């Protein structure tokens, strides 16, 4: 659950000055508050190596402050440096043997190391004389043990108990949704978070988790409403804007998605990924001219954004500027070779300029990269049928059978047999396709338009329509 803190200009100036002095090797003395601000910033930005550098400066200047050793151990844990994290924590424990945060971090470390007995021993020790606030932290610690034991149901139950005690505990609220996903207890999560927002209507995390629960049980309208409440209550909660807009896109409400993305863009500033999302909405609304402007801005911010180049290719293809489209698709593939849709876009662009050899190569690459998706086999087959290469098309569909199955490919086979004058086999395949998925039968007429005149074919389709 990402909710980055917006930094004021004073902090930005402080950060800039620190980085400049760091490069020059002249840090000087920094007070504790500044050091903690810098560490928090780098952690928020997931720049853990940089955060470690700052906390090392803090330890050098404040050798006997256990806080900085605890912070360092937490960062090392986030980096996956388990042994180093434990070593650092042991130093902190020598300085502050009764510090509860040290024990909480030890629980996580022992859980990762599969030393579950040691982890539970700390849990039991902490429970003695624990206050209500302490008990929430203990339950969170227990959930880390259960997560590493792969006891996801137990993890969910533990965290549900925690948020029922205190639904304003951010970490508990973040982790209860993680546990709902791991245990797939989406309906339970919806009921839990309905209770939370009924008792506390201004709990933005409650609405956020409720929205995600609704998404997972396909209640998209309710999900959008819940996620919208989340960012209305907390206007600085960036993730709620983005997830709400993403859900709008899932139900093809591109205008609403665009409205929310734009609000997030003007609130949180330039972000190449957000620009790409905005462009995708404009493309879906057939407003490719505006989409192109956003994509060019995104590429200016991040020249290695393969998706931006791919969508730029889609815009050029929409405008039938084929050689520009080809260049854009090529750039996307240079940056990311494992996206089958990039090869399909390139294949169609080469087909449009009648470079059939290169079209064939890229149709093949699309099917090789995404063999489980019928779309790429269907498009390759459609191309071969249109070229009159029926034997090759049949071979492609035989190869497809090794990886996937779909009514669309059955209709493609039926079209091939019709064109090969094997009407009996065509009818058998047509019946199979109609039984599997009637809604996609138009593929047959796209491949063989003259079938609109075949009464026997039309009669069978009419039978399955009833």
């Amino acid at each position: 659950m990402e909710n980055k803190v917006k930094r004021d200009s004073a902090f930005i100036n402080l950060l800039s000055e620190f980085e400049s002095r760091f490069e020059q090797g002249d840090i000087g003395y920094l007070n504790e508050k500044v050091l903690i601000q810098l560490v928090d910033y780098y952690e928020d930005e997931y720049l853990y190596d940089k955060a470690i550098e700052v906390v090392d400066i803090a330890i050098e200047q404040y050798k006997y402050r256990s806080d900085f050793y605890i912070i360092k151990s937490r960062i090392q844990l986030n980096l996956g440096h388990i042994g180093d994290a434990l070593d650092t924590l042991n130093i902190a424990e020598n300085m502050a043997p009764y510090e509860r945060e040290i024990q909480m971090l030890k629980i996580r470390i022992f859980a990762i190391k599969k030393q579950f007995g040691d982890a539970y021993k700390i849990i039991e020790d902490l429970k003695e004389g624990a206050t209500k606030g302490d008990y929430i932290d203990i339950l969170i610690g227990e959930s880390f043990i259960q997560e590493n034991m792969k006891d996801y149901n137990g993890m969910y139950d533990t965290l549900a108990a925690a948020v029922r005690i205190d639904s304003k505990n951010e970490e508990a609220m973040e982790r209860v949704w993680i546990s709902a996903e791991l245990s797939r207890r989406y309906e339970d999560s919806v009921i839990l978070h309905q209770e939370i927002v009924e008792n506390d209507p201004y709990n933005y995390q409650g609405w956020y988790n409720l929205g995600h629960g609704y998404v997972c049980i396909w209640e998209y309208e309710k999900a959008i409403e819940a996620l919208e409440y989340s960012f209305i209550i907390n206007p600085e909660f960036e993730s709620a804007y983005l997830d709400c807009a993403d859900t709008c896109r899932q139900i093809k409400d591109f205008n609403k998605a665009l409205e929310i993305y734009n609000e997030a863009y003007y609130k949180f500033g330039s972000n190449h990924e957000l620009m790409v999302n905005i462009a995708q909405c404009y493309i879906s609304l057939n407003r490719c001219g505006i989409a192109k402007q956003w994509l060019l801005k995104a590429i200016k911010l991040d020249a290695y954004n393969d998706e931006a180049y791919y969508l730029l290719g889609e815009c050029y293809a929409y405008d039938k500027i084929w050689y520009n489209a080809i260049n854009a698709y090529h750039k996307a593939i240079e940056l990311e070779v494992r996206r089958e849709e990039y090869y399909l876009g390139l294949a169609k662009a080469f087909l449009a300029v009648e470079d059939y050899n290169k079209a064939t190569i890229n149709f093949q690459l699309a099917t090789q990269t995404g063999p489980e998706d019928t779309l790429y086999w269907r498009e390759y087959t459609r191309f071969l049928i249109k070229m009159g290469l029926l034997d090759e098309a049949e071979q492609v569909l035989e190869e497809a059978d090794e990886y996937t199955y779909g009514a669309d490919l059955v209709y493609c086979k039926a079209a091939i047999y019709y064109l090969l004058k094997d009407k009996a086999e065509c009818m058998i395949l047509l019946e199979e396709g109609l039984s599997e998925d009637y809604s996609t039968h138009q593929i047959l007429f796209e491949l063989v338009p003259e079938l609109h005149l075949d009464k026997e074919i039309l009669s069978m389709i009419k039978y399955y329509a009833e």
Side-chain angles (χ1 to χ4, degrees), residues 153-424:
N153 279 310
M155 178 188 176
Y156 175 83
D157 290 334
T158 297
L159 289 161
V163 297
R164 281 194 169 102
I165 296 169
D166 181 9
S167 63
K168 292 191 182 299
N169 185 295
E170 290 188 9
E171 186 176 11
M173 289 294 285
E174 288 176 8
R175 286 188 57 73
V176 75
W177 173 246
I178 293 169
S179 71
E181 287 192 296
L182 290 170
S183 61
R184 300 186 180 279
R185 290 173 64 175
Y186 305 123
E187 291 182 0
D188 289 344
S189 179
V190 166
I191 294 167
L192 171 67
H193 288 92
Q194 283 173 336
E195 291 174 11
I196 288 170
V197 298
E198 281 171 14
N199 294 324
D200 180 8
Y202 294 97
N203 189 315
Y204 76 95
Q205 286 183 296
W207 285 110
Y208 182 76
N209 288 358
L210 180 59
H212 279 283
Y214 280 135
V215 168
C216 292
I217 60 172
W218 306 291
E219 295 272 9
Y220 294 111
E221 297 289 350
K222 289 181 179 178
I224 290 166
E225 185 179 30
L227 291 166
E228 205 164 8
Y229 278 135
S230 182
F231 68 74
I232 288 170
I233 294 165
N234 181 359
E236 303 303 320
F237 191 19
E238 187 175 359
S239 290
Y241 291 87
L242 302 182
D243 294 349
C244 187
D246 289 348
T247 307
C248 291
R249 279 171 55 197
Q250 284 189 39
I251 63 168
K252 302 190 185 307
D253 189 348
F254 299 112
N255 282 308
K256 187 172 180 66
L258 191 55
E259 179 187 329
I260 297 167
Y261 281 137
N262 275 315
E263 189 177 346
Y265 176 78
Y266 290 110
K267 187 166 192 64
F268 299 105
S270 296
N271 177 314
H272 60 90
E273 291 180 3
L274 185 52
M275 290 174 176
V276 169
N277 288 337
I278 290 170
Q280 285 179 319
C281 289
Y282 279 119
I283 290 170
S284 298
L285 293 166
N286 295 320
R287 298 172 68 183
C288 288
I290 300 175
K292 205 182 300 179
Q293 293 171 26
W294 281 98
L295 292 167
L296 291 170
K297 284 165 68 175
I299 289 166
K300 190 173 181 180
L301 272 184
D302 177 17
Y304 299 96
N305 191 319
D306 56 283
E307 193 166 6
Y309 282 106
Y310 164 69
L311 291 172
L312 189 59
E314 295 286 275
C315 290
Y316 284 127
Y318 180 85
D319 292 332
K320 295 182 168 50
I321 307 173
W322 296 113
Y323 286 104
N324 283 9
I326 287 167
N327 288 336
Y329 290 134
H330 269 307
K331 185 64 178 176
I333 291 167
E334 282 175 22
L335 294 168
E336 176 53 76
V337 298
R338 296 167 296 177
R339 293 285 292 271
E340 51 270 21
E341 66 268 37
Y342 296 2
Y343 294 108
L344 180 61
L346 186 55
K348 287 182 174 181
F350 277 126
L351 177 58
V353 299
E354 300 182 359
D355 191 335
Y356 301 125
N357 286 333
K358 288 181 180 175
T360 301
I361 290 167
N362 283 284
F363 278 121
Q364 287 173 340
L365 287 168
T367 58
Q368 289 167 13
T369 310
E372 69 289 340
D373 194 326
T374 60
L375 168 67
Y376 304 103
W377 298 101
R378 183 177 78 233
E379 291 297 321
Y380 189 12
T381 303
R382 186 200 300 267
F383 161 68
L384 293 170
I385 291 172
K386 294 294 184 184
M387 295 293 292
L389 301 170
L390 301 181
D391 290 339
E392 289 85 345
E394 190 176 4
Q395 288 171 18
V396 165
L397 290 175
E398 286 175 7
E399 186 182 352
D401 285 339
E402 298 175 21
Y403 301 98
T404 190
Y405 174 82
D408 53 347
L409 300 187
V410 176
Y411 289 125
C412 289
K413 287 180 186 177
I416 291 169
Y417 278 102
Y418 185 88
L419 293 168
L420 290 171
K421 312 301 182 187
D422 189 342
K423 181 76 174 288

